[in-house]
Amino acid sequence: MPTSPYRKVKKMGKSDANRIDFWTFEEYQRFIRAMKDDPVYFPLFETLYYTGMREGELLALSKDMIDLANNVIHIRKTFYRRYKVDHITEPKTENSIRDIVIPQFLADELKEYLSHELEDGERIFKMTAEAVQHKMKNAIKRLGLKMIRVHSLRHSHVAFLINRGVQPLEIKERLGHRDIKVTLNTYGHLYPNAQKKVADLLDMEYKKAPTNTND
């Protein structure tokens, strides 16, 4: 066939962006307290939540990608397992190659975790995505928390940032989205008070302006 018939088919249905699952900061705190004594999964989940990186990006991390002197994690690879074979490849998009600045407490947690010997280029978290999901699911059931996926920790990170007033463009850079539209289409509904803030700002500026008089 000279052309694909699929090109003539328009998108069907609605985006489910408004139904993304995430934890509040308080829900995450309940979860991570239960992981406090786990020397591997505690820093793993802390890194996922406080960076918003994708699960495959985290599982591809090696020691040389973590700059503890400057509190920066360099995202350069992604990991996945297919047919029982591990693969480490380039990230899904060019924008996914990025640097994430981390808070000091997370750098301290990673420093403690990385204190044991590791080969150059060796993955610091050697489990698979399925193992991480299994660990998280069991903890959620035990704690009676809302059931979410590991990927939803990325959404939880964004929800936390939005709640603290971080702007969409900054979130876009942190997540490695290719376009600001992706960020807004996915998380725009988490800015419920944005319109009111704009109206209040305009009202405040109007009241500060000199009163118009007819001379």
Side-chain angles (χ1 to χ4, degrees), residues 3-36:
T3 60
S4 171
Y6 291 106
R7 294 183 178 180
K8 298 181 180 180
V9 179
K10 296 181 179 179
K11 290 184 178 180
M12 300 175 66
K14 291 177 61 180
S15 168
D16 63 349
N18 289 344
R19 295 194 298 272
I20 62 171
D21 291 324
F22 64 90
W23 277 340
T24 63
F25 181 68
E26 290 71 25
E27 287 172 321
Y28 172 72
Q29 288 302 310
R30 282 189 58 200
F31 169 79
I32 201 62
R33 280 197 295 269
M35 294 288 164
K36 192 71 177 178

Side-chain angles (χ1 to χ4, degrees), residues 197-213:
K197 287 181 180 178
V198 171
D200 290 345
L201 175 65
L202 294 173
D203 194 43
M204 181 178 66
E205 293 300 322
Y206 177 81
K207 291 177 180 177
K208 286 164 52 179
T211 304
N212 291 327
T213 59

